[in-house]
Amino acid sequence: MDGVTAGVRAVARIRARADGRGGTCLPVLEGDGPLAPRRTRGSGGEAHVMLVGAMSGPLGGDHLTVRADVEPGARLRVGSAAATIALPGRHPGGARYDVRITVAAGGELRWSPEQLICAAGSDLSVTTQVDLASGARLVLREEQVLGRAAEQPGRLVSRLTVRIAGRTVLDQELGCGPGAPGGWDGPAVLGGRRAVGQLVVARPEFEEKPVVAGPLGEDAAVLPLAGPAVLVTAVASDALRLRRLLDEAPDTFTSTSD
Protein backbone atom coordinates (compact mmCIF):
# COMPACT_ATOMS: atom_id res chain seq x y z
CA MET A 1 0.00 0.00 0.00
CA ASP A 2 2.09 2.85 -1.28
CA GLY A 3 -0.70 5.41 -1.08
CA VAL A 4 -0.41 6.08 2.66
CA THR A 5 -0.23 9.86 3.11
CA ALA A 6 -0.78 12.40 5.88
CA GLY A 7 -2.13 10.80 9.03
CA VAL A 8 -0.90 9.88 12.48
CA ARG A 9 2.66 8.58 12.77
CA ALA A 10 3.27 6.81 16.07
CA VAL A 11 5.83 4.40 17.51
CA ALA A 12 5.77 2.37 20.73
CA ARG A 13 9.04 0.88 22.03
CA ILE A 14 9.49 -1.87 24.61
CA ARG A 15 12.83 -3.26 25.76
CA ALA A 16 13.05 -6.06 28.32
CA ARG A 17 16.26 -6.84 30.21
CA ALA A 18 17.15 -9.40 32.87
CA ASP A 19 17.63 -7.53 36.16
CA GLY A 20 20.23 -9.92 37.61
CA ARG A 21 17.89 -10.97 40.44
CA GLY A 22 15.74 -13.45 38.53
CA GLY A 23 13.33 -10.82 37.26
CA THR A 24 12.90 -8.62 34.19
CA CYS A 25 13.13 -4.83 34.02
CA LEU A 26 11.96 -2.51 31.26
CA PRO A 27 14.62 0.13 30.53
CA VAL A 28 12.58 1.32 27.55
CA LEU A 29 8.80 1.66 27.69
CA GLU A 30 7.47 4.54 25.63
CA GLY A 31 4.82 5.38 23.05
CA ASP A 32 3.10 8.29 21.37
CA GLY A 33 -0.15 9.04 19.59
CA PRO A 34 -2.61 6.15 19.94
CA LEU A 35 0.07 3.76 21.25
CA ALA A 36 0.45 3.78 25.04
CA PRO A 37 2.37 0.82 26.55
CA ARG A 38 1.82 0.38 30.29
CA ARG A 39 3.55 -2.00 32.69
CA THR A 40 1.20 -4.18 34.72
CA ARG A 41 1.79 -6.63 37.55
CA GLY A 42 4.08 -9.42 36.39
CA SER A 43 4.39 -13.00 37.56
CA GLY A 44 7.57 -14.76 38.59
CA GLY A 45 10.44 -13.39 36.53
CA GLU A 46 8.19 -12.27 33.68
CA ALA A 47 7.41 -8.59 32.99
CA HIS A 48 3.92 -7.78 31.69
CA VAL A 49 3.11 -4.89 29.33
CA MET A 50 -0.32 -3.83 28.15
CA LEU A 51 -0.83 -1.78 24.97
CA VAL A 52 -3.56 0.75 25.68
CA GLY A 53 -5.25 2.63 22.84
CA ALA A 54 -5.06 6.35 23.64
CA MET A 55 -7.25 7.25 20.65
CA SER A 56 -9.10 5.61 17.76
CA GLY A 57 -6.99 3.94 15.13
CA PRO A 58 -5.50 2.99 12.93
CA LEU A 59 -7.42 5.25 10.54
CA GLY A 60 -6.83 5.72 6.83
CA GLY A 61 -3.46 7.40 6.35
CA ASP A 62 -2.06 6.36 9.75
CA HIS A 63 1.24 4.52 10.20
CA LEU A 64 1.66 2.83 13.59
CA THR A 65 4.72 0.83 14.68
CA VAL A 66 5.36 -1.30 17.76
CA ARG A 67 8.92 -2.44 18.53
CA ALA A 68 9.67 -5.04 21.20
CA ASP A 69 13.20 -6.21 22.04
CA VAL A 70 13.91 -8.95 24.56
CA GLU A 71 17.49 -9.23 25.78
CA PRO A 72 19.27 -12.42 26.98
CA GLY A 73 17.56 -14.03 29.94
CA ALA A 74 14.62 -11.60 29.99
CA ARG A 75 10.99 -12.73 29.95
CA LEU A 76 8.23 -10.51 28.57
CA ARG A 77 4.50 -10.84 28.00
CA VAL A 78 2.72 -8.25 25.82
CA GLY A 79 -1.04 -7.95 25.51
CA SER A 80 -3.56 -5.21 24.78
CA ALA A 81 -6.38 -3.70 26.80
CA ALA A 82 -8.95 -4.05 24.01
CA ALA A 83 -9.35 -5.02 20.38
CA THR A 84 -7.78 -2.75 17.77
CA ILE A 85 -10.32 -1.49 15.22
CA ALA A 86 -9.14 -0.29 11.79
CA LEU A 87 -11.48 2.41 10.50
CA PRO A 88 -11.74 4.54 7.38
CA GLY A 89 -10.25 8.00 7.92
CA ARG A 90 -10.24 11.51 6.54
CA HIS A 91 -6.89 11.05 4.82
CA PRO A 92 -6.54 9.22 1.50
CA GLY A 93 -4.79 5.88 1.24
CA GLY A 94 -4.68 2.92 3.56
CA ALA A 95 -3.31 2.56 7.06
CA ARG A 96 -0.24 0.61 8.15
CA TYR A 97 0.43 -1.26 11.37
CA ASP A 98 3.95 -2.67 11.75
CA VAL A 99 5.26 -4.93 14.50
CA ARG A 100 9.01 -5.50 14.88
CA ILE A 101 10.20 -8.09 17.40
CA THR A 102 13.64 -9.35 18.40
CA VAL A 103 14.37 -11.98 21.05
CA ALA A 104 17.94 -12.76 22.09
CA ALA A 105 19.31 -16.16 23.11
CA GLY A 106 17.78 -17.21 26.42
CA GLY A 107 15.04 -14.59 26.12
CA GLU A 108 11.33 -15.36 26.06
CA LEU A 109 8.39 -13.42 24.63
CA ARG A 110 4.65 -14.06 24.78
CA TRP A 111 2.92 -11.78 22.29
CA SER A 112 -0.87 -12.02 22.61
CA PRO A 113 -2.77 -8.80 21.85
CA GLU A 114 -6.53 -8.75 21.43
CA GLN A 115 -8.10 -9.07 17.98
CA LEU A 116 -7.52 -6.71 15.09
CA ILE A 117 -10.92 -5.85 13.57
CA CYS A 118 -11.14 -4.42 10.04
CA ALA A 119 -14.34 -2.36 9.97
CA ALA A 120 -16.28 -1.70 6.77
CA GLY A 121 -14.50 0.80 4.54
CA SER A 122 -11.11 0.38 6.22
CA ASP A 123 -7.93 -0.43 4.28
CA LEU A 124 -5.12 -1.83 6.43
CA SER A 125 -1.71 -3.35 5.82
CA VAL A 126 -0.20 -5.27 8.75
CA THR A 127 3.38 -6.53 8.80
CA THR A 128 4.89 -8.53 11.64
CA GLN A 129 8.61 -9.29 11.53
CA VAL A 130 10.17 -11.52 14.18
CA ASP A 131 13.90 -12.16 14.61
CA LEU A 132 14.84 -14.88 17.08
CA ALA A 133 18.35 -15.82 18.13
CA SER A 134 19.19 -19.48 18.57
CA GLY A 135 17.83 -20.54 21.96
CA ALA A 136 15.10 -17.88 22.10
CA ARG A 137 11.53 -18.75 23.04
CA LEU A 138 8.38 -17.30 21.49
CA VAL A 139 4.62 -17.64 21.65
CA LEU A 140 3.03 -15.21 19.18
CA ARG A 141 -0.69 -15.02 18.53
CA GLU A 142 -2.34 -12.94 15.80
CA GLU A 143 -6.13 -12.74 15.43
CA GLN A 144 -7.85 -10.80 12.65
CA VAL A 145 -11.59 -10.29 12.25
CA LEU A 146 -13.16 -9.03 9.03
CA GLY A 147 -15.90 -6.58 9.94
CA ARG A 148 -17.87 -6.01 13.09
CA ALA A 149 -21.16 -7.82 13.77
CA ALA A 150 -23.45 -7.77 10.71
CA GLU A 151 -20.97 -5.56 8.86
CA GLN A 152 -19.13 -5.95 5.56
CA PRO A 153 -15.37 -6.50 5.93
CA GLY A 154 -12.71 -3.91 5.35
CA ARG A 155 -9.63 -4.67 3.28
CA LEU A 156 -6.73 -6.39 5.03
CA VAL A 157 -3.28 -7.37 3.82
CA SER A 158 -1.36 -9.21 6.52
CA ARG A 159 2.24 -10.44 6.28
CA LEU A 160 4.06 -12.49 8.94
CA THR A 161 7.79 -13.18 8.74
CA VAL A 162 9.81 -15.18 11.28
CA ARG A 163 13.58 -15.66 11.24
CA ILE A 164 15.54 -17.91 13.58
CA ALA A 165 19.31 -17.44 13.83
CA GLY A 166 19.16 -15.35 10.66
CA ARG A 167 17.27 -17.99 8.67
CA THR A 168 13.77 -17.30 7.39
CA VAL A 169 11.45 -20.10 8.55
CA LEU A 170 8.13 -18.41 7.76
CA ASP A 171 7.11 -15.71 5.29
CA GLN A 172 3.41 -15.65 4.46
CA GLU A 173 0.94 -13.02 3.27
CA LEU A 174 -2.85 -13.04 3.27
CA GLY A 175 -5.11 -10.56 1.47
CA CYS A 176 -8.82 -10.36 2.34
CA GLY A 177 -11.77 -8.09 1.72
CA PRO A 178 -12.61 -5.69 -1.12
CA GLY A 179 -9.87 -5.51 -3.72
CA ALA A 180 -8.11 -8.68 -2.53
CA PRO A 181 -7.21 -11.35 -5.10
CA GLY A 182 -10.12 -13.56 -6.14
CA GLY A 183 -10.80 -16.63 -4.04
CA TRP A 184 -9.92 -15.13 -0.66
CA ASP A 185 -13.38 -16.04 0.64
CA GLY A 186 -13.53 -19.41 -1.11
CA PRO A 187 -13.02 -22.91 0.30
CA ALA A 188 -9.25 -22.83 -0.25
CA VAL A 189 -8.78 -19.80 2.02
CA LEU A 190 -11.43 -18.57 4.50
CA GLY A 191 -14.38 -20.63 3.32
CA GLY A 192 -16.87 -17.94 4.29
CA ARG A 193 -15.42 -17.44 7.77
CA ARG A 194 -14.69 -13.95 9.05
CA ALA A 195 -11.99 -14.63 11.64
CA VAL A 196 -8.48 -15.87 10.89
CA GLY A 197 -5.49 -16.35 13.17
CA GLN A 198 -1.95 -17.63 13.50
CA LEU A 199 -0.04 -19.00 16.45
CA VAL A 200 3.74 -19.32 16.22
CA VAL A 201 5.52 -21.25 18.97
CA ALA A 202 9.33 -21.48 19.05
CA ARG A 203 11.06 -23.64 21.63
CA PRO A 204 14.66 -24.95 21.59
CA GLU A 205 13.41 -28.45 22.50
CA PHE A 206 11.60 -28.67 19.14
CA GLU A 207 15.09 -29.15 17.65
CA GLU A 208 15.29 -32.63 19.18
CA LYS A 209 11.54 -33.37 19.17
CA PRO A 210 9.87 -31.74 16.14
CA VAL A 211 6.10 -31.36 16.28
CA VAL A 212 4.05 -33.57 13.97
CA ALA A 213 2.02 -31.85 11.27
CA GLY A 214 -1.71 -32.44 11.09
CA PRO A 215 -5.23 -31.01 11.15
CA LEU A 216 -6.96 -29.81 14.30
CA GLY A 217 -10.55 -30.55 13.41
CA GLU A 218 -11.96 -28.85 10.33
CA ASP A 219 -10.81 -25.28 11.00
CA ALA A 220 -7.16 -25.43 12.12
CA ALA A 221 -3.88 -27.10 11.21
CA VAL A 222 -0.43 -27.56 12.72
CA LEU A 223 2.61 -27.05 10.48
CA PRO A 224 6.17 -27.57 11.74
CA LEU A 225 8.57 -24.92 10.43
CA ALA A 226 12.11 -25.41 9.17
CA GLY A 227 13.57 -24.68 12.58
CA PRO A 228 12.61 -25.25 16.25
CA ALA A 229 9.17 -23.73 15.71
CA VAL A 230 5.62 -24.58 14.71
CA LEU A 231 2.80 -22.64 13.04
CA VAL A 232 -0.89 -23.10 13.83
CA THR A 233 -3.33 -21.52 11.37
CA ALA A 234 -7.05 -21.34 12.11
CA VAL A 235 -10.24 -19.87 10.66
CA ALA A 236 -13.52 -19.44 12.48
CA SER A 237 -16.94 -17.90 12.21
CA ASP A 238 -16.24 -15.45 15.03
CA ALA A 239 -13.52 -14.14 17.34
CA LEU A 240 -14.55 -16.28 20.32
CA ARG A 241 -14.29 -19.52 18.37
CA LEU A 242 -10.95 -18.44 16.90
CA ARG A 243 -9.50 -17.70 20.34
CA ARG A 244 -10.57 -21.09 21.60
CA LEU A 245 -8.91 -22.88 18.68
CA LEU A 246 -5.59 -21.08 19.14
CA ASP A 247 -5.56 -21.39 22.93
CA GLU A 248 -6.15 -25.15 22.77
CA ALA A 249 -3.66 -25.85 19.98
CA PRO A 250 -0.45 -26.24 22.05
CA ASP A 251 -2.08 -28.99 24.13
CA THR A 252 -2.40 -31.05 20.96
CA PHE A 253 1.28 -30.89 19.96
CA THR A 254 2.88 -34.31 19.58
CA SER A 255 6.50 -34.90 18.64
CA THR A 256 8.03 -37.40 16.26
CA SER A 257 9.46 -39.29 19.24
CA ASP A 258 6.09 -39.79 20.98
Side-chain angles (χ1 to χ4, degrees):
M1 294 196 184
D2 297 326
V4 177
T5 57
V8 173
R9 301 292 187 271
V11 180
R13 296 179 177 87
I14 307 166
R15 181 174 292 275
R17 179 177 296 164
D19 63 9
R21 303 185 302 275
T24 299
C25 62
L26 299 172
V28 177
L29 186 64
E30 58 188 23
D32 49 35
L35 299 174
R38 299 287 186 264
R39 182 163 191 167
T40 59
R41 184 182 297 274
S43 59
E46 184 180 65
H48 292 185
V49 171
M50 193 73 68
L51 292 172
V52 179
M55 61 180 71
S56 296
L59 308 177
D62 290 354
H63 185 180
L64 311 182
T65 303
V66 180
R67 299 182 181 276
D69 300 294
V70 181
E71 297 186 3
R75 298 172 59 203
L76 175 66
R77 181 190 296 265
V78 178
S80 62
T84 298
I85 303 178
L87 298 164
R90 295 177 298 171
H91 300 287
R96 286 178 58 184
Y97 196 111
D98 298 329
V99 176
R100 303 290 181 262
I101 291 169
T102 64
V103 185
E108 180 176 338
L109 173 65
R110 291 181 175 269
W111 184 271
S112 53
E114 295 301 309
Q115 297 90 356
L116 171 63
I117 301 172
C118 295
S122 64
D123 186 356
L124 180 64
S125 174
V126 180
T127 63
T128 301
Q129 294 182 4
V130 181
D131 280 283
L132 305 176
S134 179
R137 291 177 175 271
L138 173 75
V139 177
L140 179 144
R141 188 185 72 215
E142 288 190 338
E143 300 170 321
Q144 294 142 357
V145 180
L146 300 174
R148 293 168 291 193
E151 180 182 65
Q152 291 299 309
R155 182 173 184 237
L156 171 68
V157 177
S158 176
R159 185 168 183 175
L160 173 60
T161 305
V162 178
R163 290 186 288 266
I164 301 179
R167 179 186 181 190
T168 299
V169 300
L170 175 66
D171 190 358
Q172 69 174 23
E173 182 174 286
L174 176 65
C176 304
W184 68 270
D185 202 22
V189 187
L190 297 189
R193 278 81 160 185
R194 287 295 179 264
V196 59
Q198 296 78 231
L199 179 73
V200 177
V201 181
R203 299 173 183 165
E205 53 265 35
F206 288 166
E207 201 78 68
E208 297 295 328
K209 297 181 177 180
V211 173
V212 176
L216 298 177
E218 297 181 355
D219 296 326
V222 175
L223 177 66
L225 302 177
V230 61
L231 169 70
V232 178
T233 300
V235 296
S237 56
D238 56 49
L240 182 62
R241 171 64 177 163
L242 179 66
R243 174 68 57 84
R244 186 178 299 115
L245 286 170
L246 295 178
D247 282 349
E248 294 174 353
D251 294 335
T252 70
F253 292 171
T254 57
S255 74
T256 54
S257 61
D258 290 343

